[in-house]
């Protein structure tokens, strides 16, 4: 009888240990996560390529001397429309390149993307008097990109 009780205790203990091992994942085992991006990385990369494309469209409009923009010589950050067009073109290209870097899960993508989004935010702020209906939503998009890139940590297992 004592042997039966002892084997019952051992079986119960082994069952509890098996249940505990199944419930708690092994911290030493790493899955290969290099093939997938986190949701934050995917969102940031997609938003950066969108913002870059829109900035390029804005730059083309500025270079073409479109009458879409108002020109005021009373503004502290006054540039002619061709200069604004070139600024938006350059910022747009940088946003697309860094957005593709984030989507490709490159280690430089997040830092360069945050810097590019910050520069885009500043240029959009300076562009508000010319076309506020465009600049203010673009500023919100740049803030969302900055939040996404700086708030969430993207792990790379291959050290790229």
């Amino acid at each position: 009888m004592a042997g039966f009780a002892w084997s019952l205790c051992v079986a119960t203990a082994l069952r509890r240990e098996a249940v505990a091992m199944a419930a708690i994942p092994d911290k030493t085992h790493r899955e290969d996560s290099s093939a997938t991006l986190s949701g934050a990385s995917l969102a940031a990369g997609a938003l950066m390529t969108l913002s870059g494309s829109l900035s390029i469209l804005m730059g083309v409009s500025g270079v073409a001397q479109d009458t879409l923009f108002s020109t005021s010589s009373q503004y502290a950050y006054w540039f002619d429309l061709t200069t604004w067009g070139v600024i938006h073109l350059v910022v747009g290209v940088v946003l697309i390149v860094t957005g593709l870097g984030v989507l490709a899960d490159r280690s430089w993508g997040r830092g360069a993307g945050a810097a590019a989004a910050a520069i885009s935010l500043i240029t959009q702020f300076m562009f508000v008097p010319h076309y506020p209906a465009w600049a203010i939503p673009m500023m919100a998009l740049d803030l969302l990109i900055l939040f996404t890139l700086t708030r969430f940590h993207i792990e790379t297992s291959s050290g790229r």
Side-chain angles (χ1 to χ4, degrees):
M1 187 73 163
F4 177 73
W6 182 79
S7 64
L8 187 60
C9 282
V10 169
T12 304
L14 288 175
R15 191 184 66 163
R16 283 186 190 151
E17 186 176 337
V19 168
M21 287 175 62
I24 301 171
D26 185 12
K27 301 276 187 203
T28 60
H29 177 67
R30 292 187 118 172
E31 295 179 18
D32 184 26
S33 62
S34 63
T36 60
L37 285 173
S38 70
S41 299
L42 189 60
L47 290 175
M48 288 175 69
T49 55
L50 173 68
S51 179
S53 301
L54 293 174
S55 289
I56 288 173
L57 291 174
M58 177 63 72
V60 169
S61 295
V63 170
Q65 296 290 332
D66 196 22
T67 59
L68 181 66
F69 309 122
S70 66
T71 55
S72 170
S73 61
Q74 303 295 330
Y75 186 52
Y77 306 114
W78 185 84
F79 297 116
D80 66 340
L81 291 179
T82 303
T83 304
W84 275 117
V86 170
I87 289 170
H88 284 297
L89 280 171
V90 169
V91 169
V93 168
V94 170
L95 280 169
I96 288 177
V97 168
T98 55
L100 292 174
V102 169
L103 289 174
D105 202 20
R106 300 290 178 208
S107 60
W108 54 266
R110 283 182 59 227
I119 290 170
S120 177
L121 177 67
I122 292 168
T123 58
Q124 293 297 338
F125 174 76
M126 293 169 60
F127 195 70
V128 166
H130 295 287
Y131 195 18
W134 179 275
I136 293 171
M138 291 299 290
M139 287 171 54
L141 184 63
D142 290 334
L143 282 172
L144 183 63
I145 293 168
L146 276 171
F147 173 77
T148 307
L149 287 175
T150 58
R151 173 70 174 101
F152 299 104
H153 178 69
I154 302 170
E155 292 184 18
T156 56
S157 61
S158 61
R160 289 180 276 159

